[in-house]
Amino acid sequence: MFLLLLASLGLAAAAGGARGQALVADLTNHLVAITTGFTGTSVVLFGATDGSGDVIVVVRGPERDMTVRRKSKVAQVWVNTRQVTFQSVPSFYSIASNKPLDDIAPAAVRQLHQIGLDNLRLNTEASLSPEETEEFRSALLRNEARAGLFPPGVGQVTFLGDRLFRTDIRFPANVPTGIYLVQVFLVRDKAVVSGQTTPLVVSEIGVDADVHDFADRYALLYGLAAITLAALVGWIATLPFRNA
Amino acid sequence: MDIYLPIAAVSVDVVVLLGLGAVVGFLSGVFGVGGGFLLTPFLIFIGIPPAVAVASSANQLVGASVSGVIAHWRRGNVDFHMGAVLLIGGFAGSALGVWVFALLRRLGQVELTVSIAYVVLLGTLGALMLVESTRAILRRNRAGAGRRKLHQHMWIHGLPLKMRFRRSKLYISAIVPTGLGFVVGVLSAIMGIGGGFVMVPAMIYMLGMPTAVVPGTSLLQIIFVAANVTVLQAAGNGTVDAVLALMLLIGGVIGAQFGSRFGSRLRGEQLRALLALLVLLVAAKLARDLGLRPEDLYSVVVVGSE
């Protein structure tokens, strides 16, 4: 992820150095706050190019290792029998562009920049046959799509005139917390000529964050507090019936 | 209205949680069992991760059983001496249970183990209870059947380390309640239940305790076993969602009041027959799910999150 960030920044710097700012983009909000009533949100990305060209926006959530398990039938019961762990899988991945991806950039370019779910590089230490790798890989993508974390299809980047563009980035209610990277690619004549990466923080805010933080840091104390609170509620509930 | 649960990390409708708590509370009011055996599967069903469902149910149980014990204690129906002996076994059992739970998580077999444990336990107990209560109903209808003996003498009564339990009018080996507490402690940690539905029949049929002191004493030991499980799960696995437990409790205490009123209108053996049918129903549903081909054979988890 960090290398990717560097690569993108390098790319932006190279392109920028060559002919000024080819691409400028920013978010309306750099913080997605998860509060008690959070049911998902959207953040607007807007920007401008220095001329013609197509824009692709990729949003990647913080990376984590994911285990994919396969069930098979053992004595009439479905049991997890095989598991494969993929390293550094983005916890969220969405993509948007102003035209179908095929019309903008050739497969090789998309593969290089990991544009599109098909081009997401997923590594595993498990020694698997290519067929098996593909099976587990597609199972991972399918499950993440079902959870709403890898939204299917390509979102719309809208051009307002020739140079100004915007897109809505949708986040579901179960969006994982952490630092996201929003990558914007400017593609001209089937090559990426400029890129920009903007960080976006998704974080729990308020009571929930405090509870989670406390539970992480003082696990034992949290457990004791949890049972005390429960016992207290249980006791209070009996008060109205004291004389019954 | 949705509420975001900090540890489970999902948004759930508050009304669903309160309603679920109320239904479970109602049942525990009617039958005098904690209702954890219904709560955990339902929480999993509405999308709470199984590990969080198990640990938070234990947390909810602490509050629910405190309520229950206070109510029974006011009527003088708690055997504290017996409770203490049960507890010694309970603590040891729940420590082992939490350790086993952590091991199962690493192996990716939590869900399966919890489901199988439920099917076996609920199936066996449900069947036994149904047979027993049906017999009792038939016996009552025949009227004037012979007086029941205070308790049967079995091999259990030949064990050493005998102790006197005044409140329960018993003179039995301490090994029996300790062992019973241990088994219930293990179950409590793995299944997120207080074990009331194991404990109550065992106290009546195995220990031979008078029926009146059984629910109060069973709940007393459940308080401590559930509290122990909650703290161990929080410290060891980080899976206790206090917000979730609190929501369930609020619904639960209200439901329990209605439940106990409804329960007092039914006769004991009718209650047990109804509970048996309910228990069997849950077991049958879980057993069917085990053999049902999942929609997707593959499942995904974040490493270290389970």
Side-chain angles (χ1 to χ4, degrees):
Chain A
M1 183 67 129
F2 186 62
L3 282 179
L4 203 81
L5 177 66
L6 276 185
S8 300
L9 287 177
L11 194 72
R19 37 176 143 151
Q21 290 278 65
L23 174 71
V24 185
D26 201 6
L27 301 163
T28 47
N29 200 343
H30 288 267
L31 173 72
V32 170
I34 299 182
T35 53
T36 306
F38 185 75
T39 53
T41 189
S42 81
V43 172
V44 175
L45 176 121
F46 57 90
T49 64
D50 68 346
S52 64
D54 297 307
V55 169
I56 302 171
V57 177
V58 172
V59 182
R60 296 170 67 111
E63 292 176 353
R64 48 194 191 182
D65 295 351
M66 302 287 278
T67 300
V68 182
R69 297 189 177 123
R70 182 175 62 199
K71 284 194 171 69
S72 38
K73 203 159 192 174
V74 179
Q76 299 304 308
V77 171
W78 291 94
V79 184
N80 286 325
T81 45
R82 187 93 161 81
Q83 65 175 49
V84 172
T85 298
F86 290 95
Q87 275 91 32
S88 314
V89 182
S91 51
F92 181 87
Y93 186 98
S94 77
I95 185 165
S97 65
N98 62 320
K99 277 189 215 160
L101 291 175
D102 287 330
D103 300 348
I104 300 178
V109 171
R110 278 182 280 158
Q111 200 172 358
L112 176 68
H113 295 284
Q114 298 193 55
I115 294 171
L117 282 175
D118 298 340
N119 298 315
L120 205 55
R121 271 195 286 278
L122 297 176
N123 302 319
T124 175
E125 279 168 10
S127 47
L128 297 171
S129 68
E131 296 80 31
E132 263 184 318
T133 311
E134 187 43 42
E135 227 177 289
F136 277 92
R137 185 195 149 89
S138 64
L140 175 62
L141 298 183
R142 187 171 64 238
N143 272 278
E144 293 294 273
R146 198 183 305 130
L149 298 175
F150 288 3
V154 178
Q156 187 65 44
V157 173
T158 317
F159 264 94
L160 316 153
D162 291 344
R163 300 189 174 185
L164 291 177
F165 65 87
R166 62 166 282 162
T167 183
D168 276 343
I169 304 169
R170 288 284 317 157
F171 293 101
N174 57 341
V175 61
T177 56
I179 297 173
Y180 284 57
L181 293 183
V182 181
Q183 302 170 294
V184 186
F185 298 98
L186 176 62
V187 187
R188 231 171 247 157
D189 304 326
K190 313 230 175 270
V192 173
V193 293
S194 182
Q196 187 191 327
T197 299
T198 310
L200 169 69
V201 177
V202 175
S203 171
E204 288 177 327
I205 298 289
V207 183
D208 294 313
D210 297 340
V211 170
H212 198 164
D213 198 46
F214 185 70
D216 271 353
R217 236 182 277 183
Y218 311 100
L220 188 64
L221 217 57
Y222 171 78
L224 291 173
I227 58 170
T228 312
L229 193 67
L232 210 65
V233 172
W235 172 65
I236 290 169
T238 66
L239 292 184
F241 306 92
R242 207 167 3 177
N243 304 315
Chain B
M1 195 186 84
D2 280 4
I3 185 167
Y4 184 82
L5 302 171
I7 307 298
V10 287
S11 286
V12 185
D13 196 333
V14 178
V15 181
V16 170
L17 289 185
L18 291 176
L20 184 55
V23 169
V24 170
F26 181 81
L27 292 172
S28 71
V30 174
F31 300 118
V33 294
F37 70 96
L38 286 172
L39 191 56
T40 310
F42 266 105
L43 287 177
I44 296 171
F45 178 74
I46 62 171
I48 311 286
V52 177
V54 166
S56 309
S57 294
N59 189 10
Q60 182 267 354
L61 263 174
V62 176
S65 35
V66 164
S67 266
V69 168
I70 293 175
H72 285 286
W73 174 60
R74 285 191 189 128
R75 284 179 235 131
N77 285 338
V78 181
D79 185 340
F80 286 95
H81 189 183
M82 177 65 85
V85 175
L86 285 167
L87 254 187
I88 297 169
F91 276 143
S94 54
L96 176 71
V98 169
W99 180 80
V100 170
F101 191 78
L103 181 75
L104 289 171
R105 270 176 50 163
R106 280 202 298 283
L107 298 175
Q109 304 295 1
V110 167
E111 226 172 313
L112 178 74
T113 315
V114 170
S115 289
I116 290 180
Y118 268 109
V119 170
V120 171
L121 252 174
L122 295 180
T124 318
L125 279 162
L128 286 175
M129 275 166 60
L130 192 65
V131 169
E132 185 275 333
S133 54
T134 316
R135 270 195 198 142
I137 291 171
L138 291 177
R139 204 182 308 134
R140 182 179 277 266
N141 290 347
R142 249 184 275 126
R147 197 178 67 91
R148 188 178 161 251
K149 269 193 283 182
L150 199 57
H151 62 260
Q152 261 93 37
H153 273 267
M154 297 183 284
W155 60 270
I156 284 172
H157 300 93
L159 293 171
L161 278 171
K162 288 214 167 192
M163 274 178 104
R164 195 170 295 283
F165 298 93
R166 275 182 224 292
R167 194 73 200 69
S168 301
K169 304 189 186 77
L170 283 177
Y171 182 60
I172 54 165
S173 163
I175 296 172
V176 185
T178 313
L180 177 59
F182 184 84
V183 171
V184 171
V186 174
L187 294 178
S188 185
I190 296 178
M191 300 166 70
I193 56 171
F197 69 96
V198 180
M199 191 66 117
V200 169
M203 282 170 141
I204 299 175
Y205 302 117
M206 237 169 88
L207 303 183
M209 282 170 70
T211 318
V213 295
V214 165
T217 311
S218 153
L219 284 173
L220 174 71
Q221 92 101 31
I222 288 172
I223 294 179
F224 292 97
V225 170
N228 191 31
V229 168
T230 306
V231 172
L232 291 175
Q233 293 279 23
N237 298 330
T239 44
V240 175
D241 199 311
V243 177
L244 173 59
L246 206 61
M247 288 291 134
L248 295 170
L249 255 182
I250 293 170
V253 294
I254 299 166
Q257 298 308 327
F258 287 103
S260 57
R261 250 163 247 174
F262 179 77
S264 59
R265 286 201 230 126
L266 288 173
R267 271 214 300 273
E269 56 271 25
Q270 291 173 331
L271 271 180
R272 290 204 298 277
L274 273 180
L275 179 61
L277 287 175
L278 183 71
V279 164
L280 282 177
L281 206 68
V282 176
K285 157 93 175 73
L286 288 171
R288 214 198 71 185
D289 289 352
L290 277 177
L292 221 56
R293 187 191 166 87
E295 220 158 88
D296 194 339
L297 290 182
Y298 297 82
S299 58
V300 171
V301 290
V302 180
V303 173
S305 76
E306 251 184 313

